[in-house]
Amino acid sequence: MNVSCEDYDKVAVIGIDGELSDDTLEVFRSTAERRLAEGRVQFVVNFEKLSSIDSAGLEALLWLQDQCRQGQGDLKLAGLDETAAQILTMTRLDRRFDIHPNVVEAVKVFSQG
């Protein structure tokens, strides 16, 4: 798995290329922790290149959302394919996350708020 992080003004966009699972979680968490340590609290996780996600990956998203909200920020998800969307629906996490069709739309929401 490759994890990238780009800043769009005050929003950190984390891109995941591959799977977000127990085996690959450390890279995701360390990337997020670095941005949190810099004071970032507005995040978008880009799912466009995500191949799969397991329960540990879902827990990592919930962890990041909690970290963002503690700092008065939030986490948004973008670019989910049909499988990822179904997983979030089945686990009812689609009710917890703000989901957008792409990164641009997700970042726009932060600038409107």
Side-chain angles (χ1 to χ4, degrees):
M1 170 185 76
N2 287 328
V3 175
S4 61
C5 192
E6 296 180 54
D7 294 328
Y8 291 75
D9 194 21
K10 295 182 180 182
V11 180
V13 177
I14 298 178
I16 303 166
D17 188 350
E19 64 181 42
L20 183 56
S21 66
D22 192 42
D23 295 334
T24 60
L25 211 52
E26 189 56 39
V27 176
F28 175 81
R29 280 189 72 125
S30 66
T31 300
E33 286 172 343
R34 277 194 305 274
R35 292 295 202 236
L36 289 163
E38 294 170 0
R40 302 264 178 199
V41 293
Q42 297 175 331
F43 282 79
V44 172
V45 175
N46 185 358
F47 275 61
E48 288 178 3
K49 295 182 180 179
L50 182 81
S51 59
S52 66
I53 188 167
D54 68 5
S55 60
L58 294 173
E59 288 176 20
L61 294 175
L62 291 169
W63 165 82
L64 181 54
Q65 185 180 53
D66 288 344
Q67 297 298 309
C68 291
R69 288 183 174 172
Q70 285 176 15
Q72 307 302 311
D74 204 0
L75 169 67
K76 303 189 182 314
L77 307 181
L80 280 71
D81 66 9
E82 188 175 323
T83 302
Q86 285 178 339
I87 289 169
L88 290 177
T89 300
M90 288 178 6
T91 58
R92 297 188 180 173
L93 291 176
D94 61 329
R95 299 175 185 177
R96 175 126 184 220
F97 292 109
D98 192 9
I99 301 170
H100 297 273
N102 56 55
V103 169
V104 172
E105 294 299 317
V107 170
K108 274 187 196 176
V109 173
F110 282 117
S111 64
Q112 295 169 355

